[in-house]
Amino acid sequence: MDTDVSKPRVVVGVDGSQSSYEALRYAGQIGGTVEAVAVWELPGLYGWSGPAVDMQVDEDETRQKMTQELTDVLGADAAGSVRTHVVHGNAADVLLQAAEGAEVLVVGSRGRGGFARALLGSVSQHVSQHASCPVVIVRSQEQ
């Protein structure tokens, strides 16, 4: 991930969920360079002899959704100043790696998976226990 030592780095995980929108808004208010990280993964891919789908299509789709989410949540001007990273892998592992050397990691309290009333999602719980920087977990107003 790119680093600019002149401003503090604020890493935020985005996944299209309502709590992700809130995390993105929060990250934008902290100040510093915001780096939005979207992670895509094909469940069950590991252990296959080869992927049964076009992985480039999935990455492109994730990138398009992320761009649209940034614009919808922050507006076109602010979205243009956000550094974006689309990475294939496990969400918690990718976010932990992206947050190395960051001022703070911001994630939503619950993303796309899990139980509807879970206090924390599996990714937010994992990064809060293993991150090398402070972690802010933002709850959605709908929760």
Side-chain angles (χ1 to χ4, degrees), residues 58-76:
D58 291 326
E59 182 178 352
D60 291 344
E61 182 179 333
T62 302
R63 190 173 307 283
Q64 290 171 355
K65 286 180 180 179
M66 180 185 201
T67 300
Q68 186 62 51
E69 178 178 348
L70 291 173
T71 302
D72 290 348
V73 174
L74 301 175

Side-chain angles (χ1 to χ4, degrees), residues 83-104:
R83 293 181 180 170
T84 61
H85 305 282
V86 176
V87 182
H88 175 258
N90 173 275
D93 293 340
V94 170
L95 288 171
L96 287 172
Q97 184 178 7
E100 289 180 13
E103 189 76 18
V104 65

Side-chain angles (χ1 to χ4, degrees), residues 21-87:
Y21 296 166
E22 300 297 332
L24 189 54
R25 286 184 192 100
Y26 185 92
Q29 296 172 359
I30 292 175
T33 302
V34 176
E35 294 184 9
V37 179
V39 182
W40 65 279
E41 181 176 35
L42 297 173
L45 176 65
Y46 304 105
W48 289 2
S49 60
V53 296
D54 184 350
M55 292 177 66
Q56 184 65 41
V57 170
D58 291 326
E59 182 178 352
D60 291 344
E61 182 179 333
T62 302
R63 190 173 307 283
Q64 290 171 355
K65 286 180 180 179
M66 180 185 201
T67 300
Q68 186 62 51
E69 178 178 348
L70 291 173
T71 302
D72 290 348
V73 174
L74 301 175
D77 291 339
S81 67
V82 174
R83 293 181 180 170
T84 61
H85 305 282
V86 176
V87 182

